[in-house]
Amino acid sequence: MTTLTIYFSLFTIAFLAATILPLQSEAVLTGLLALSHQPWWALIAVATIGNTLGSVVNWAMGLTLERFQNHRWFPASPAQLDKAKHYYQRYGRWCLLFAWLPFVGDALTVMAGVLKERLWIFVVIVGAGKLARYLVIATAVVSAQS
């Protein structure tokens, strides 16, 4: 596999994993860290950027989500939407550090869009949380190889 293919594949999987698609960027990163000869920092950077940009898609969807709440197919009731808003407002934007969590993370990033969180703040906080998660994974893989 070429270097470009490795990075493009990791970026794509990380990007899609941050959306509602059930993909695991951690597994791909772990495999690449263990088996490829790419620098660990470059793999982490690509995964973090891809995963953060995927979360930006969720944030953007949240910006227009409420206008669809009266449709039958809408996935949440008005009460559920109000409850989610309450929790986000209660814990604040710092809960976005947990945007990497399965299921919960998607809801957090969408709700940040619904509540019109500023994009630059969103990107910084979400990116920091995702970077921290990938650093923990890389540390575990590298120390297991030693």
Side-chain angles (χ1 to χ4, degrees):
M1 203 182 303
T2 68
T3 301
L4 183 60
T5 304
I6 289 170
Y7 289 121
F8 180 76
S9 299
L10 177 59
F11 177 89
T12 302
I13 295 292
F15 180 90
L16 294 173
T19 66
I20 59 172
L21 297 175
L23 297 172
Q24 295 297 315
S25 61
E26 300 88 351
V28 174
L29 178 63
T30 299
L32 289 173
L33 286 167
L35 301 174
S36 80
H37 300 290
Q38 305 306 318
W40 64 268
W41 57 267
L43 293 171
I44 290 172
V46 168
T48 301
I49 292 167
N51 210 239
T52 302
L53 289 176
S55 290
V56 170
V57 170
N58 293 346
W59 173 86
M61 287 190 313
L63 291 175
T64 60
L65 184 69
E66 283 188 293
R67 71 178 172 164
F68 297 109
Q69 70 181 346
N70 295 324
H71 291 78
R72 248 183 28 171
W73 52 263
F74 193 75
S77 70
Q80 290 171 317
L81 198 55
D82 286 342
K83 185 176 181 180
K85 283 182 189 178
H86 169 74
Y87 280 118
Y88 186 85
Q89 290 169 334
R90 179 179 177 191
Y91 295 107
R93 62 177 54 121
W94 296 107
C95 66
L96 291 171
L97 286 169
F98 298 99
W100 56 269
L101 289 170
F103 307 111
V104 174
D106 294 341
L108 288 172
T109 56
V110 170
M111 193 50 56
V114 168
L115 295 172
K116 312 291 189 261
E117 186 68 68
R118 287 179 290 190
L119 180 59
W120 75 269
I121 291 173
F122 175 86
V123 169
V124 168
I125 295 173
V126 169
K130 290 175 183 273
L131 173 62
R133 177 220 17 211
Y134 288 133
L135 284 171
V136 168
I137 291 168
T139 301
V141 171
V142 170
S143 52
Q145 289 178 326
S146 299

